[in-house]
Amino acid sequence: MENLLSRKIGDKLYYIGVNDRETALFENMWPLPDGVAYNSYVIKGSKNILIDSVKSNTVEECLAKLREVIGDEDLHYIIVDHMEPDHSSGLLELINSYPDVKLVANKRAFPMLKSYYNIPEDRVIEVKDGEKLEMGDTSLTFYMTPMVHWPESMVAFEEDTGILFSQDIFGAFGTLSGGIFDDQVEFDKYYMEEMARYFINIVGKYAGQALKALEKLGSLDIKMICPDHGPIWRKNPQKVIDIYKDLSSQKTEDGVLIVFGSIYGNTERMAEILARGVAEEGITNIRVRDVAHTSQSYLLRDCWRYKGIILVSCSYDRSIFPPMGFLLKELDHQRMKNNVWGIAGTYSWNGGAMKELKDFVERNKLNVLELQPEIQGAGNDEDYRNLLELGKQIARAVKEDK
Ligand code: FEO
């Protein structure tokens, strides 16, 4: 049959993934300005094997592509590499369409299959770390990659072809619009940013486990990488492995991010003075972001990326400005260790912001500069000189730490 919906990407391998341009927020939190792809694959052999399902809102399209590939034949196996519902909520529809299909998963997925979809254990073949499973003329070897992204996450490797099915690992936000391979898309111009954001938003808190997973996969002779989101890597899989190593080890770039929380503009003026101080020390890579107007998704990505970070916030009643408080809470999970931090707080009558900023840097044991201006109201000339100096100090720290 002609492949007009599906794409043939190997001798027996087909891409049957789908683009979701309907979901506005991934995990109902992270913006998807250009949607997201749920990649799914089918191996058409003496046994037909589907690797990773899709989100339920797109499963009909996936099924249409699957039928185009296997026609009236049965689907024999579904590999469940990862249970997050962006890949598993289409399972019931697939099982309804192919009632005899067997699922393949590891033990940690079993209670999830039961609790989310009431799928009983006898429908599932268990695989263990390093185990090879023969399925007709295809065999896949499974490697556990816990917490990248969930505890049951695993990857599947086809030794005969060197194809790695990597689930969330090497994933990116953004649909696959036309091109699906690394050599068919503008990766550096577009997907690199979306891969960084995906990693930091979704996997960043498990960066240590991501490094362990990469070590584990390091001995495999990988010729192609088929992730569950983002482009398929057939031309240069080593490139995405190297990118992931940099992301997992939080390799920062020389530059300073200033995030401000301001209600009537006084604290924003302080952010401007801080940025001027940074620039006067010769740093050109400066970003100033309004915490109330910038999605946490982009703020977290930038915090992970820039070597120097200054948080400057006003108070709200007796606490920190709530959007900044939410950012601090998110940053608590990130376990960042390669940044230099600066903090400054403003208040109207009884403080609030500075105490919470200090608590934040202390509980996370962050490398923070000692100059920590706390300013009442709109501030005065001396306050502005201190802010200028803080900007200069962080710029020097960034440069010295090369
Ligand atoms: Fe793409 Fe963790 O799901």
Side-chain angles (χ1 to χ4, degrees):
M1 191 182 286
E2 198 177 0
N3 297 110
L4 294 172
L5 303 175
S6 55
R7 312 267 193 111
K8 193 169 195 297
I9 62 172
D11 279 350
K12 298 186 292 179
L13 182 63
Y14 295 79
Y15 177 78
I16 57 167
V18 288
N19 289 320
D20 181 357
R21 298 186 179 88
E22 175 183 277
T23 301
L25 298 171
F26 192 81
E27 295 181 344
N28 213 14
M29 273 195 291
W30 315 110
L32 293 173
D34 296 313
V36 66
Y38 310 121
N39 296 343
S40 178
Y41 306 91
V42 62
I43 297 172
K44 187 178 187 312
S46 61
K47 299 289 181 188
N48 295 320
I49 306 161
L50 185 142
I51 297 150
D52 294 335
S53 171
V54 297
K55 193 174 164 186
S56 56
N57 66 326
T58 58
V59 70
E60 285 302 330
E61 189 62 17
C62 180
L63 264 169
K65 293 179 182 188
L66 174 63
R67 289 191 188 107
E68 186 183 74
V69 175
I70 66 173
D72 294 334
E73 292 178 21
D74 216 350
L75 179 66
H76 301 95
Y77 298 94
I78 300 174
I79 310 296
V80 183
D81 282 326
H82 179 25
M83 275 297 298
E84 188 168 7
D86 56 324
H87 309 292
S88 68
S89 57
L91 277 175
L92 284 180
E93 191 68 31
L94 285 162
I95 291 171
N96 285 340
S97 302
Y98 298 97
D100 296 327
V101 71
K102 284 279 185 191
L103 274 55
V104 176
N106 66 73
K107 200 73 183 169
R108 297 181 97 164
F110 281 47
M112 297 180 184
L113 286 164
K114 176 79 179 154
S115 58
Y116 273 103
Y117 309 114
N118 202 25
I119 296 174
E121 288 197 5
D122 60 10
R123 289 297 299 261
V124 192
I125 298 169
E126 183 194 347
V127 287
K128 295 191 165 73
D129 191 30
E131 183 176 342
K132 186 191 265 195
L133 184 67
E134 310 281 347
M135 293 164 283
D137 57 359
T138 301
S139 60
L140 293 172
T141 307
F142 298 90
Y143 297 95
M144 304 303 124
T145 56
M147 301 322 295
V148 199
H149 164 220
W150 275 13
E152 86 305 345
S153 287
M154 65 179 190
V155 300
F157 184 62
E158 190 178 31
E159 284 169 14
D160 294 346
T161 57
I163 297 175
L164 177 71
F165 299 95
S166 65
Q167 48 101 25
D168 274 357
I169 304 174
F170 311 120
F173 290 135
T175 54
L176 294 177
S177 296
I180 60 171
F181 291 107
D182 56 337
D183 53 285
Q184 292 180 323
V185 300
E186 296 205 328
F187 183 83
D188 294 339
K189 271 193 199 164
Y190 173 68
Y191 286 102
M192 182 58 229
E193 290 293 302
E194 289 298 78
M195 176 172 281
R197 195 164 64 90
Y198 178 85
F199 177 86
I200 293 151
N201 292 178
I202 310 299
V203 187
K205 57 181 83 71
Y206 307 118
Q209 284 95 328
L211 278 172
K212 277 187 199 154
L214 290 175
E215 260 172 47
K216 188 180 244 186
L217 304 179
S219 60
L220 304 180
D221 185 13
I222 297 171
K223 304 236 170 18
M224 184 157 95
I225 295 175
C226 295
D228 277 0
H229 308 283
I232 298 164
W233 293 80
R234 69 175 174 188
K235 186 176 180 196
N236 193 1
Q238 190 57 45
K239 175 171 171 167
V240 76
I241 293 169
D242 291 342
I243 289 170
Y244 235 67
K245 279 183 188 158
D246 286 348
L247 287 169
S248 304
S249 54
Q250 207 216 334
K251 186 176 175 189
T252 54
E253 56 187 73
D254 287 346
V256 175
L257 168 71
I258 298 166
V259 184
F260 70 86
S262 185
I263 299 173
Y264 290 108
N266 294 298
T267 311
E268 181 171 7
R269 175 192 276 177
M270 293 170 198
E272 302 281 11
I273 297 168
L274 287 163
R276 175 177 156 185
V278 176
E280 286 183 3
E281 282 294 323
I283 295 266
T284 54
N285 189 11
I286 305 168
R287 292 288 178 278
V288 177
R289 304 254 193 246
D290 183 339
V291 74
H293 289 269
T294 315
S295 161
Q296 299 279 324
S297 176
Y298 296 93
L299 292 174
L300 290 178
R301 181 194 64 188
D302 288 350
C303 285
W304 193 268
R305 164 192 285 172
Y306 288 98
K307 178 110 210 149
I309 302 171
I310 303 178
L311 304 177
V312 53
S313 180
C314 62
S315 303
Y316 193 70
D317 294 324
R318 287 190 295 176
S319 304
I320 198 164
F321 183 50
M324 185 65 82
F326 185 56
L327 177 64
L328 298 186
K329 220 170 182 179
E330 285 297 306
L331 288 171
D332 277 338
H333 299 302
Q334 293 294 313
R335 298 179 191 159
M336 298 187 308
K337 51 193 181 307
N338 295 337
N339 309 86
V340 183
W341 296 77
I343 54 174
T346 65
Y347 66 100
S348 297
W349 66 93
N350 62 355
M354 184 50 100
K355 183 185 178 311
E356 292 187 42
L357 287 166
K358 280 185 175 170
D359 286 350
F360 163 73
V361 293
E362 275 167 26
R363 68 176 172 263
N364 287 289
K365 299 182 175 59
L366 300 176
N367 176 18
V368 64
L369 298 172
E370 278 182 25
L371 178 59
Q372 298 173 1
E374 186 171 24
I375 298 168
Q376 185 167 20
N380 55 36
D381 287 357
E382 191 187 341
D383 295 323
Y384 296 167
R385 279 186 212 103
N386 276 335
L387 291 165
L388 203 60
E389 176 58 21
L390 177 58
K392 288 181 182 190
Q393 283 188 12
I394 204 158
R396 288 197 288 269
V398 165
K399 288 192 290 184
E400 281 163 13
D401 205 41
K402 271 186 183 173

